[in-house]
Amino acid sequence: MIRAVIVMNTQGKPRLSKFYDYEPTEKQQELIRTVYSVLCSRPESVSSFVDADSIFGPDCRLVYKHYATLYFVFVYDSAENELAMLDLIQVFVETLDKCFKNVCELDVVFNYNKINTILDEIIFGGQVLETNSAEIMKAVEEISKLETAYTTIPLVPKSVTSWRSSV
Amino acid sequence: MALSGMRGLSVFISDVRNCQNKEQERLRVDKELGNIRTKFKNEKGLSPYEKKKYVWKMLYIYMLGYDVDFGHMETVSLISAPKYPEKQVGYIVTSCLLNENHDFLRLAINTVRNDIVGRNETFQCLALTMIGNIGGREFAESLAPDVQRLLMSSSCRPLVRKKAALCLLRLYRKNPDVVNVDGWSDQMAQLLDERDLGVLTSAMSLLVALVSNNHDAYWSCIPKCTRILERLARNQDVPQEYTYYGIPSPWLQVKTMRALQYFPAIEDPNTRRSLFEVLQRILMGTDVVKNVNKNNASHAVLFEALALVMHLDAEKEMMSQCVALLGKFIAVREPNIRYLGLENMARMLMVTDMQDIIKRHQAQIITSLKDPDISIRRRALDLLYGMCDVSNAKDIVEELLQYLSTSDFAMREELSLKVAILAEKFAPDLSWYVDVILQLIDKAGDFVSDDIWFRVVQFVTNNEDLQPYAALKAKEYLDKPAIHETMVKVSAYLLGEFGHLLARRPGCSAKELFSLIHDKLPTVSPPAISILLSSYAKILMHTQPPDPELQNQIWAVFRKYESCIDAEIQQRAIEYLALSRKGAALMDILAEMPKFPERQSSLIKKAEDAETDTAEKSAIKLRAQQQTSNALVVTDQQPLNGTSPVGPLSIVKVPSMSSDMDAGDHGLTQSNGSLSEMGQHATTPDLLGDLLGPVAIEAPPSASVQSEQNFVSDQEVSSSVVDVLALAPAEELTSAVQPIGNIAERFQNLCLKDSGVLYEDPYIQIGIKAEWRMHHGRLILFLGNKNTSPLVSVLALILSPAHLKMELSLVPEIIPPRAQVQCPLEVVNIRPSRDVAVLDFSYKFATSLVNVKLRLPAVLNKFLQPASVSMEEFFNQWRSLSGPPLKLQEVVRGVRPMTLLEMANLFTNYRLTVLPGLDPNPNNLAACTTFCSESTRAMLCLVRIETDPADRSQLRMTIASGDPMLTFELKEFIKELLVAILMTSPAPAPTPPPATELAIPAAASTDPGAMLAGLL
């Protein structure tokens, strides 16, 4: 199963974290820090796989993808296929891209709730739920329709350049 | 896209981002938490939108690493809200903030159930998602049937059904009973007919979980899985959205193949054929293309197909094809493919007959050790380690040694251990082994654990041929200017022990060796200094006739350390100085270390433990584990040193007479002697003790003399005991071959000791070494051929009494000349009994057939463990065991007169703990012990002996235990002990418990004597 999904920026700030096996808060933070310290020391154009036994316990692996200023990290065990996990990261990112048109870190930061919703439509309790990004989008839109049916608050403007200063 | 944003949340996030440091961030977060707390308190005023905003803020704060320890109740209560937005928030946050053991969750079960059985699909989705993330046992018990219904319902949308499938998976993991295997297997098969690929993917995940636990019920799924695979691989009827970079749902393909790997075999020939067709298509039809994502997807499928092919034991041709593919992969540019290529090649090693084909890629794998990616380097190291055998050990180990100097620090420890293990397992000859380990210490001293250098010392000690070579090597390393401390230790040890073997070489006189070692002394730490002092003492001992100049030098060193602050060094210095003045006696005390008992290498054991303690249920791992043992068997069978049939390096070769060093004779007596004389050494449970303790000195001389006497008396004591005990037929010899020494006496010795010689004649010596733990015992029979021609028709049969379960490992039919064979014998004590097991041993030497029947020292007292109980415990037990058959009393006459002290000493030797002072009557004696057997487990036994000072030939004994048979057997056993001693004259009891203690009356308030009397 997939044990955890972590999205963090290249300075180690977590942007999204979801642990499918319960971990206490401090432990989560420690794991995120350790993962970051491993990832930031890896050069470009090496493999996407890292042995994670020492971080997450026996039989755990970690696969990551580096997009611009973000690391997308999946932690999983040997019941999953390594490359399929890598593909799933790609599906996640492509779906985000469709939602936000050229997704960037700020989209992820300021749409924390949306990202969570999207992830929930892709991974369910540590298992792959859906891999077809059109289907994912459909589910997410359905949810947002339901939400807006009850609320009239407008969307946050998408480009918030004034906030870019302190990534 | 139109997910609603929340201004308040965005503002808060932006505030947090604007914080200059962690302190500011904490302040901002605390402020917000305070704000939320107040808002929640007067909940009435909150609109659904506001509630939602606040819980998302809480969630964000939680992700930042702050504890959110309030609002749990609020979020849980939101679940029961009637409107979607609030309910949604309730579910999402509950599944993030709470874990499955949280008390509040219980409150929500009913609401959740209502949402699931309700008609609102969006509510169903929310509820399923939460259960799927944090549902525990209670959810499993109360909701599984409802979830199953949703999954099977034809009226539900795929969106709901796929969530229901994964939700059921979660509940099944929490409580496997919720899926009733009989009823469910048909439905599972039915689910696999699903056309919607989204639902099918989830159903397949469920199937994988089910079959990983129990595949038996799901055979009917195999053909369906095969069909799904065919459909996808041929790209038939796959909707465009479900192709990912042109590959029909790689996830479903991968899951399907994974599920198939949990079935031990696929027997139906038709299914098997079509499956192989699909696999063949996947294997052949996958190319490396430009697009990275497409590559990843197609190779995900390909690697899974490889794993399935390996699992199915395809024909050799197909396997070789797979290896060829892997060989291609490990050389491509794409690092992920290289990584997985190496990893899968390591798995391929588990497949029979593939090793040789894999070896063709050795050069490429070695290149991967220099890959810029540490993940890949690790895989390459694992693979090289796995593929190493006698044929390529030299190359691989040398590569690894070279790599050691450039490798990452993070890998060096593991690397050193692996080098040491490979060198030991596959050494083509022992001198190479010594070379490798010394190089290893030289290059990576900091990363070489003590186990590694202890092991090399053991080998050198046990193999005479190797000793001069090792000593020479050690000297060469010491000649170097700066060497690692571990190197100083091992070199000093080797030169101390074997340096005299080099005496005729230039530059190797005792004096030169001493100064060579002594030069290093200022650079090393106290533990190493201790070893150096031992080496000096050894050098001194070996220098015959004594060289006064050297003696003075060494004495000066000892004197200097006589006042060392380190107690270990000080003790060694003082003792060695005193000993070295004893002249000839020094020779005996500081003699060479005896051979180490053979045992499994702690290194190899460590490696094996590490391999087997992953307890996950992955199909490949399970399989790999099953096969590890095969692999080991294979390597074990590979003949080493030409002829030895036993595992690598496990035979202690009795040194050949032709050895050019004049150590032959000496060695022979050594090896024999080590069995009998050095018994105490042989049983030391921890090797490290042997090595680090002062060399060959066990106790101050006075103490050893004492124990010697002690031993003599025991020997006599037991000799007569056993005559009475002897239920086994007396030894009868069917030939003229006469045993050396008294067989009965040897047996009696072994009843008290755990190692020694059981039997010896001009041709063979049978030694025994035993370890006893609770009701288990492990005896090792050492069968040593003393001659230059082989012993044939060797036959060993165990005639075990009914109360012992004994299992003797295979005894080879032939014992090669001057070799020693070890045969472990496992003993389990089932119930108390005094019967004795017999070894029926025969062999042929030239024309004479020798047959002996030898009693084995697996006697009752071996299963006793000294126990210590307080007076109170003793009396409580004594009282609770009232009368026969648990408590038996007997007046014994004809006891050999002995003092109570002698009796106490006798008891102690037989592992009965004497409890001085417990019985206030100075003429009485109380003792206790624990007896272990399978039927009684560990059981406390109590003993009381009352003697009459006027007539020492009779006494009254009372035995109590929780088992009638045990009480009886123990009573008879002790009686035999006491009666049998009649003939022998007592040796003065050496270390009796102080007499005064026995005589001290107990406190007046509780008079145990009166208590005992009352109870009896």
Side-chain angles (χ1 to χ4, degrees):
Chain A
M1 74 178 271
I2 300 167
R3 302 281 183 89
V5 171
I6 301 167
V7 179
M8 64 173 104
N9 73 2
T10 41
Q11 274 132 51
K13 284 216 163 117
R15 294 308 185 199
L16 173 72
S17 71
K18 197 146 181 146
F19 288 79
Y20 294 98
D21 276 342
Y22 175 75
E23 298 282 0
T25 329
E26 316 85 71
K27 180 78 183 157
Q28 290 188 7
Q29 293 303 310
E30 188 195 319
L31 290 172
I32 292 172
R33 276 195 301 274
T34 322
V35 168
Y36 175 70
S37 67
V38 173
L39 294 191
C40 67
S41 62
R42 287 179 66 81
E44 287 296 320
S45 74
V46 292
S47 73
S48 308
F49 303 105
V50 176
D51 293 337
D53 313 41
S54 54
I55 311 173
F56 289 91
D59 195 35
C60 274
R61 288 120 183 278
L62 180 157
V63 61
Y64 72 101
K65 253 186 160 178
H66 184 182
Y67 296 91
T69 59
L70 289 177
Y71 287 120
F72 286 74
V73 182
F74 282 22
V75 183
Y76 59 97
D77 62 23
S78 62
E80 301 289 338
N81 178 299
E82 294 88 348
L83 283 173
M85 288 297 107
L86 197 58
D87 292 341
L88 202 61
I89 295 184
Q90 183 67 20
V91 169
F92 184 32
V93 174
E94 282 180 16
T95 311
L96 291 182
D97 214 38
K98 279 182 195 157
C99 287
F100 298 105
K101 311 276 178 310
N102 284 325
V103 65
C104 70
E105 185 181 349
L106 281 181
D107 297 322
V108 176
V109 172
F110 286 104
N111 295 283
Y112 179 69
N113 53 337
K114 297 180 200 173
I115 312 284
N116 261 294
T117 313
I118 294 169
L119 183 61
D120 275 350
E121 293 302 318
I122 298 176
I123 299 174
F124 179 104
Q127 301 289 333
V128 182
L129 176 64
E130 184 54 74
T131 55
N132 166 358
S133 68
E135 196 69 29
I136 300 165
M137 292 283 287
K138 220 162 76 193
V140 172
E141 261 162 48
E142 212 171 285
I143 292 169
S144 73
K145 249 184 238 150
L146 279 166
E147 286 182 336
T148 44
Y150 293 93
T151 171
T152 50
I153 303 297
L155 286 172
V156 173
K158 248 216 71 204
S159 57
V160 263
T161 40
S162 58
W163 290 330
R164 257 174 223 272
S165 51
S166 64
V167 172
Chain B
M1 119 124 219
L3 258 185
S4 57
M6 274 176 280
R7 190 165 185 85
L9 177 62
S10 305
V11 170
F12 172 63
I13 292 174
S14 142
D15 278 0
V16 170
R17 280 162 49 80
N18 284 332
C19 291
Q20 299 296 316
N21 52 43
K22 200 75 192 161
E23 197 44 43
Q24 280 187 8
E25 184 185 286
R26 175 169 287 281
L27 283 173
R28 179 69 187 86
V29 165
D30 283 345
K31 183 180 154 208
E32 193 62 40
L33 285 176
N35 180 28
I36 299 172
R37 204 176 284 141
T38 348
K39 295 279 188 205
F40 272 147
K41 267 193 191 139
N42 37 14
E43 199 187 327
K44 294 227 170 68
L46 287 182
S47 70
Y49 170 77
E50 281 172 313
K51 277 186 192 165
K52 193 168 137 184
K53 183 177 75 183
Y54 291 127
V55 288
W56 276 113
K57 281 183 183 175
M58 280 162 59
L59 211 52
Y60 188 78
I61 291 170
Y62 177 72
M63 185 200 64
L64 290 178
Y66 297 91
D67 258 330
V68 178
D69 49 6
F70 71 96
H72 293 171
M73 193 63 204
E74 286 79 359
T75 53
V76 172
S77 67
L78 278 177
I79 290 177
S80 48
K83 287 186 181 145
Y84 185 86
E86 288 172 291
K87 197 184 265 297
Q88 181 207 22
V89 166
Y91 272 122
I92 292 176
V93 180
T94 304
S95 55
C96 284
L97 292 188
L98 302 192
N99 67 55
E100 62 176 84
N101 301 318
H102 207 288
D103 284 341
F104 286 161
L105 270 188
R106 245 175 255 149
L107 304 175
I109 290 190
N110 266 333
T111 325
V112 176
R113 181 156 191 275
N114 286 339
D115 283 339
I116 285 186
V117 295
R119 295 264 154 175
N120 187 328
E121 288 193 333
T122 50
F123 287 8
Q124 286 172 344
C125 283
L126 288 176
L128 289 171
T129 308
M130 189 198 79
I131 306 169
N133 280 315
I134 57 167
R137 274 190 83 90
E138 280 176 62
F139 279 81
E141 277 143 29
S142 45
L143 297 177
D146 298 319
V147 175
Q148 285 183 11
R149 228 173 337 240
L150 278 187
L151 172 57
M152 301 311 295
S153 151
S154 54
S155 59
C156 272
R157 282 201 303 160
L159 181 68
V160 179
R161 293 181 59 210
K162 65 190 182 192
K163 286 183 177 167
L166 294 180
C167 187
L168 187 61
L169 193 166
R170 162 94 187 188
L171 298 182
Y172 172 72
R173 288 237 165 98
K174 291 296 156 190
N175 179 5
D177 299 337
V178 301
V179 175
N180 175 345
V181 175
D182 299 331
W184 187 252
S185 54
D186 290 344
Q187 284 172 306
M188 191 67 238
Q190 191 191 326
L191 270 178
L192 296 181
D193 293 331
E194 175 65 45
R195 300 311 286 173
D196 183 280
L197 292 187
V199 178
L200 201 50
T201 308
S202 294
M204 201 57 86
S205 294
L206 179 61
L207 178 65
V208 169
L210 293 172
V211 294
S212 72
N213 254 13
N214 169 16
H215 58 79
D216 271 342
Y218 300 97
W219 287 105
S220 57
C221 296
I222 296 179
K224 301 205 175 200
C225 289
T226 310
R227 231 162 293 140
I228 293 170
L229 213 51
E230 281 179 315
R231 173 183 163 198
L232 294 173
R234 301 220 163 90
N235 202 350
Q236 291 165 338
D237 182 25
V238 179
Q240 182 54 38
E241 317 89 78
Y242 278 97
T243 55
Y244 172 86
Y245 290 92
I247 317 290
S249 182
W251 294 274
L252 182 54
Q253 294 199 50
V254 162
K255 284 270 176 212
T256 311
M257 288 190 273
R258 188 57 66 101
L260 288 170
Q261 287 169 56
Y262 285 100
F263 293 93
I266 289 170
E267 270 142 23
D268 174 53
N270 287 333
T271 313
R272 199 175 155 90
R273 192 176 339 102
S274 25
L275 188 57
F276 272 114
E277 272 172 31
V278 179
L279 292 174
Q280 185 74 30
R281 175 190 284 263
I282 297 173
L283 291 183
M284 291 301 99
T286 311
D287 287 321
V288 180
V289 292
K290 274 243 169 78
N291 185 311
V292 178
N293 294 320
K294 185 181 169 126
N295 246 346
N296 285 344
S298 62
H299 285 80
V301 175
L302 177 59
F303 279 116
E304 204 60 51
L306 277 170
L308 184 54
V309 170
M310 284 185 234
H311 173 77
L312 292 175
D313 277 335
E315 294 91 57
K316 196 165 179 195
E317 195 188 333
M318 193 161 185
M319 289 291 201
S320 321
Q321 214 177 13
C322 292
V323 179
L325 263 179
L326 290 173
K328 205 173 79 184
F329 292 157
I330 63 173
V332 297
R333 274 193 55 218
E334 174 59 44
N336 287 334
I337 309 285
R338 278 209 305 275
Y339 173 92
L340 292 168
L342 289 167
E343 168 151 340
N344 281 279
M345 219 178 232
R347 288 182 190 166
M348 193 60 109
L349 284 173
M350 307 296 170
V351 180
T352 354
D353 295 341
M354 282 300 117
Q355 285 85 344
D356 286 337
I357 312 182
I358 292 172
K359 275 189 214 159
R360 290 182 205 152
H361 301 283
Q362 193 169 313
Q364 181 61 41
I365 301 167
I366 287 173
T367 316
S368 307
L369 270 184
K370 289 147 199 146
D371 199 280
D373 184 355
I374 187 171
S375 299
I376 292 179
R377 293 197 294 271
R378 285 215 155 100
R379 288 291 86 82
L381 175 59
D382 284 350
L383 178 53
L384 282 174
Y385 178 70
M387 66 193 278
C388 193
D389 62 23
V390 245
S391 73
N392 55 11
K394 261 190 158 157
D395 295 339
I396 290 183
V397 168
E398 264 146 40
E399 276 302 334
L400 294 182
L401 272 177
Q402 231 177 54
Y403 174 51
L404 196 55
S405 356
T406 55
S407 69
D408 318 59
F409 280 94
M411 278 173 76
R412 284 196 189 179
E413 185 164 4
E414 190 192 346
L415 191 56
S416 317
L417 188 64
K418 287 193 160 155
V419 168
I421 290 172
L422 291 180
E424 174 172 344
K425 258 171 128 174
F426 303 115
D429 56 73
L430 288 172
S431 54
W432 178 80
Y433 170 75
V434 171
D435 282 346
V436 168
I437 301 296
L438 291 182
Q439 273 188 60
L440 183 66
I441 296 171
D442 190 36
K443 287 188 172 181
D446 283 336
F447 301 93
V448 173
S449 62
D450 281 345
D451 297 3
I452 296 177
W453 80 262
F454 289 169
R455 192 71 184 153
V456 81
V457 165
Q458 284 172 43
F459 273 123
V460 175
T461 308
N462 287 5
N463 292 277
E464 313 251 330
D465 299 349
L466 199 56
Q467 291 164 358
Y469 179 80
L472 192 64
K473 277 280 155 189
K475 181 190 170 281
E476 280 170 17
Y477 276 105
L478 277 182
D479 277 332
K480 291 186 177 182
I483 57 174
H484 192 270
E485 178 161 321
T486 306
M487 185 61 92
V488 177
K489 288 187 197 167
V490 66
S491 304
Y493 186 97
L494 290 174
L495 284 181
E497 204 69 37
F498 310 111
H500 62 285
L501 302 176
L502 304 176
R504 287 182 214 150
R505 291 171 198 264
C508 294
S509 71
K511 221 187 276 175
E512 282 159 310
L513 290 183
F514 167 71
S515 67
L516 194 58
I517 301 174
H518 196 53
D519 279 350
K520 307 289 180 193
L521 191 133
T523 64
V524 295
S525 67
I529 293 180
S530 312
I531 294 176
L532 296 195
L533 292 186
S534 299
S535 299
Y536 300 164
K538 292 260 174 176
I539 290 178
L540 203 55
M541 182 272 293
H542 282 301
T543 315
Q544 296 302 342
D547 172 346
E549 194 186 330
L550 178 65
Q551 201 169 27
N552 284 334
Q553 274 180 326
I554 292 180
W555 281 356
V557 179
F558 287 159
R559 268 192 217 101
K560 180 179 160 203
Y561 284 101
E562 259 179 345
S563 53
C564 179
I565 194 160
D566 184 295
E568 177 68 35
I569 296 179
Q570 188 188 39
Q571 186 180 357
R572 287 194 193 208
I574 291 172
E575 287 179 1
Y576 291 149
L577 188 60
L579 282 171
S580 59
R581 286 177 170 151
K582 280 196 176 309
L586 183 66
M587 291 289 270
D588 297 335
I589 298 161
L590 287 177
E592 247 168 67
M593 287 294 282
K595 291 189 190 313
F596 289 91
E598 277 308 303
R599 63 187 96 194
Q600 192 186 14
S601 158
S602 60
L603 295 178
I604 290 178
K605 191 163 179 312
K606 209 190 262 179
E608 281 168 6
D609 288 351
E611 273 164 34
T612 48
D613 70 6
T614 43
E616 88 296 306
K617 287 187 175 155
S618 125
I620 289 165
K621 279 285 173 69
L622 274 179
R623 202 174 145 72
Q625 280 175 16
Q626 287 160 7
Q627 297 203 351
T628 330
S629 52
N630 289 349
L632 284 176
V633 172
V634 172
T635 54
D636 276 354
Q637 282 165 349
Q638 272 153 354
L640 196 95
N641 298 341
T643 52
S644 62
V646 192
L649 304 188
S650 73
I651 277 199
V652 181
K653 277 173 72 184
V654 176
S656 60
M657 294 299 223
S658 62
S659 162
D660 54 353
M661 296 298 156
D662 47 359
D665 275 354
H666 181 60
L668 181 59
T669 49
Q670 274 287 315
S671 75
N672 291 342
S674 70
L675 283 167
S676 51
E677 291 156 21
M678 300 308 290
Q680 251 173 303
H681 253 288
T683 50
T684 317
D686 193 359
L687 267 188
L688 318 194
D690 297 352
L691 276 174
L692 287 182
V695 180
I697 296 176
E698 285 154 27
S702 59
S704 67
V705 172
Q706 258 197 347
S707 66
E708 194 82 10
Q709 288 173 347
N710 191 1
F711 168 65
V712 170
S713 75
D714 297 342
Q715 192 172 325
E716 287 159 352
V717 163
S718 55
S719 71
S720 25
V721 176
V722 177
D723 287 341
V724 179
L725 271 177
L727 301 174
E731 295 71 29
E732 41 193 282
L733 293 178
T734 54
S735 76
V737 175
Q738 284 304 311
I740 300 171
N742 181 336
I743 295 178
E745 219 165 76
R746 289 186 189 278
F747 171 72
Q748 291 135 21
N749 283 345
L750 286 168
C751 285
L752 282 170
K753 294 200 310 171
D754 278 337
S755 65
V757 175
L758 181 70
Y759 171 82
E760 187 169 359
D761 67 24
Y763 307 118
I764 193 164
Q765 186 193 53
I766 305 179
I768 272 204
K769 192 154 77 66
E771 279 175 5
W772 306 94
R773 194 160 297 137
M774 307 295 289
H775 61 282
H776 290 277
R778 183 184 163 89
L779 284 104
I780 299 177
L781 300 177
F782 295 79
L783 310 177
N785 181 353
K786 294 160 70 176
N787 291 276
T788 45
S789 46
L791 297 179
V792 295
S793 304
V794 176
L795 193 65
L797 292 173
I798 301 288
L799 314 170
S800 65
H803 75 287
L804 293 178
K805 204 156 65 191
M806 305 181 95
E807 220 169 283
L808 181 64
S809 69
L810 200 68
V811 176
E813 218 184 287
I814 298 173
I815 305 178
R818 314 199 68 80
Q820 191 184 61
V821 181
Q822 302 177 14
C823 309
L825 169 65
E826 304 291 340
V827 184
V828 180
N829 185 20
I830 298 167
R831 54 189 160 73
S833 164
R834 287 162 299 139
D835 295 353
V836 179
V838 172
L839 167 69
D840 183 348
F841 184 81
S842 55
Y843 67 90
K844 227 189 226 160
F845 180 75
T847 53
S848 51
L849 174 78
V850 183
N851 175 265
V852 285
K853 293 195 174 61
L854 302 163
R855 285 169 297 172
L856 287 170
V859 287
L860 188 133
N861 64 306
K862 299 286 183 184
F863 302 103
L864 295 180
Q865 289 183 337
S868 97
V869 297
S870 69
M871 189 183 289
E872 197 182 331
E873 282 172 277
F874 188 94
F875 285 119
N876 279 340
Q877 272 289 317
W878 189 260
R879 221 172 295 144
S880 67
L881 302 166
S882 54
L886 297 181
K887 189 193 273 174
L888 296 174
Q889 194 171 78
E890 186 175 333
V891 175
V892 186
R893 285 173 223 287
V895 178
R896 184 192 75 74
M898 58 177 141
T899 64
L900 266 185
L901 299 186
E902 286 162 351
M903 197 188 291
N905 190 44
L906 176 70
F907 278 15
T908 311
N909 286 327
Y910 279 90
R911 308 201 207 184
L912 292 142
T913 312
V914 176
L915 303 163
L918 197 128
D919 195 322
N921 184 338
N923 292 315
N924 294 352
L925 186 149
C928 70
T929 186
T930 308
F931 176 80
C932 302
S933 75
E934 211 167 74
S935 68
T936 60
R937 296 283 138 197
M939 186 172 276
L940 189 67
C941 309
L942 308 175
V943 179
R944 187 189 190 209
I945 308 283
E946 295 157 282
T947 62
D948 178 0
D951 180 3
R952 289 215 167 267
S953 71
Q954 64 172 354
L955 50 77
R956 183 164 73 163
M957 57 191 271
T958 316
I959 314 287
S961 83
D963 180 83
M965 202 200 300
L966 173 56
T967 307
F968 176 77
E969 293 288 333
L970 188 64
K971 187 193 69 164
E972 294 300 305
F973 184 78
I974 296 178
K975 189 167 80 184
E976 282 157 4
L977 276 185
L978 297 170
V979 174
I981 299 168
L982 254 174
M983 329 294 293
T984 51
S985 62
T991 49
T996 46
E997 259 184 59
L998 276 172
I1000 293 173
S1005 55
T1006 56
D1007 182 0
M1011 285 168 77
L1012 269 175
L1015 291 163
L1016 283 167

